[in-house]
Each structure stands twice: as C-alpha cells, then as structure tokens.
C-alpha cells in the first residue's frame, strides 16, 4: 500500500514543485493573476489525473496489489491473506488520491507564493488537532481499527484542501513581493 501511494505522492509533489516554480516566477514578474491561474489550473489538472488513477485503484485493487508483492511461490497462501486484508485500505487510497493531489499542489503553490509559515501552521494544527485525535477516536474508541485510521486521514485531507484552498482563493499572497 505504501509503495502504491508513494507513486501517487511523488507524482503530486513533482507536479506541485513545478506549480510552485510557476507561481513564484509569475509573482516575481509582477503577474499575480497569472500566478493564480497557474495554481488553479495545476490543481484541476492533477485532481483529474489522480481521479482517474484513484478510480483504477478502486476498481482493480487486487491485481494492483499483487503486482507490487514479491514473487515467492511458496508463500502463496500468505500472499492471498495479505491481499485480502489490503484491499479495503487500497480502495480508501483510491478515494484519497484526488484529495492528496489537490492538497499537495495547493501547498506547493502556497510555498511558491511565499506562504510557508501559513502552510506550517495549518499542517501543525491539522495533524495534532484533527488527524491524530480522529485516528484515536475512529480506530480505538469507536473500534473501526485500520478503517478508522483511513477515515481520519480522509477528514484530514478534506480539511487540508479546505484550508489551503481558502488561503489561495483569498488572494492576499498575490500582493507579496518575492
């Protein structure tokens, strides 16, 4: 699951880094509206791409999971158990893929706009006041186990997209001198 999601995250970070470059170059050239356009177009494009990737992950979790497992004929039964346990988590990852895309590109766009302190504060607050408490609540207290952790991650991702999207939408960063 980690290897599959790393492919999603690495793609999002690469796309986000290019977005940060375009945003900062546009702001440096005195073209804040172009910077905003680059940011929002990048979010839309990567959400679309990762939406397709997420849909494929949700539709075909078993073959995707098996493709990432080592080829060891003797542990076939164990491999089947691992795949069976991983399928619900992998489907959750499919749902999270477009949200991760939006969040990571928005974060990188804000970095490019010089809003790194805002991103740090938002991430810190959401990790300690959203992700961790909700993971405990869902997984331990409400006994959703691993699914509870994924539910907390989903809540965190939605909140992160909301907070960073709102900050980008406000546009105060467009007046920053870089």
């Amino acid at each position: 699951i980690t290897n599959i999601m790393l492919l999603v995250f690495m793609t999002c970070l690469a796309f986000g880094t290019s977005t940060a470059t375009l945003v900062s170059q546009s702001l440096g050239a005195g073209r804040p509206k172009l910077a905003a356009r680059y940011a929002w177009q990048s979010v839309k494009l990567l959400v679309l791409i990762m939406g397709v990737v997420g849909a494929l992950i949700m539709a075909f979790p078993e073959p995707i999971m098996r493709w990432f497992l080592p080829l060891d004929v003797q542990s076939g039964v164990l491999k089947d158990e691992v795949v069976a346990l991983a399928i619900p988590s992998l489907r959750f990852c499919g749902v999270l893929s477009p949200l991760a895309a939006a969040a990571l590109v928005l974060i990188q766009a804000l970095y490019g706009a010089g809003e790194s302190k805002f991103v740090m504060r938002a991430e810190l607050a959401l990790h300690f006041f959203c992700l961790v408490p909700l993971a405990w609540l869902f997984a331990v207290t409400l006994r959703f186990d691993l699914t509870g952790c994924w539910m907390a991650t989903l809540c965190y991702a939605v909140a992160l997209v909301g907070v960073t999207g709102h900050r980008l939408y406000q546009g105060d960063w467009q007046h920053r001198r870089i």
Side-chain angles (χ1 to χ4, degrees):
I1 294 169
T2 302
N3 288 339
I4 295 165
M5 285 311 291
L6 278 175
L7 290 175
V8 170
F9 287 134
M10 286 189 300
T11 303
C12 294
L13 284 174
F15 210 87
T17 301
S18 64
T19 303
T21 302
L22 291 170
V23 167
S24 63
Q25 285 181 345
S26 298
L27 288 176
R31 301 183 68 191
K33 291 199 184 310
L34 182 61
R37 193 168 126 215
Y38 279 139
W40 290 115
Q41 289 296 326
S42 295
V43 169
K44 289 177 193 174
L45 182 59
L46 195 59
V47 165
L48 178 67
I49 292 167
M50 286 301 147
V52 170
V53 169
L56 290 172
I57 290 171
M58 288 171 50
F60 305 107
E62 185 172 342
I64 291 171
M65 190 67 176
R66 288 189 184 281
W67 192 60
F68 279 86
L69 289 173
L71 296 173
D72 183 5
V73 179
Q74 293 179 345
S75 63
V77 174
L78 181 60
K79 191 180 290 185
D80 291 340
E81 290 176 18
V82 169
V83 169
L85 286 172
I87 285 176
S89 293
L90 202 52
R91 284 202 170 114
F92 241 110
C93 290
V95 171
L96 287 170
S97 292
L99 283 169
L104 289 169
V105 172
L106 286 165
I107 286 169
Q108 293 295 320
L110 289 170
Y111 282 149
E115 293 284 326
S116 55
K117 285 183 182 178
F118 170 80
V119 172
M120 186 240 351
R121 288 190 301 266
E123 287 273 19
L124 188 67
L126 287 173
H127 272 91
F128 289 108
F129 299 111
C130 176
L131 182 62
V132 173
L134 287 179
W136 179 267
L137 174 70
F138 294 148
V140 178
T141 305
L142 299 177
R143 299 178 190 231
F144 287 122
D145 300 321
L146 184 58
T147 303
C149 291
W150 287 113
M151 291 165 58
T153 304
L154 181 61
C155 293
Y156 163 79
V158 168
L160 185 59
V161 168
V163 168
T164 55
H166 179 68
R167 182 66 168 214
L168 192 70
Y169 179 76
Q170 281 180 317
D172 296 341
W173 57 271
Q174 291 178 348
H175 308 293
R176 183 181 298 272
R177 185 173 166 96
I178 294 184

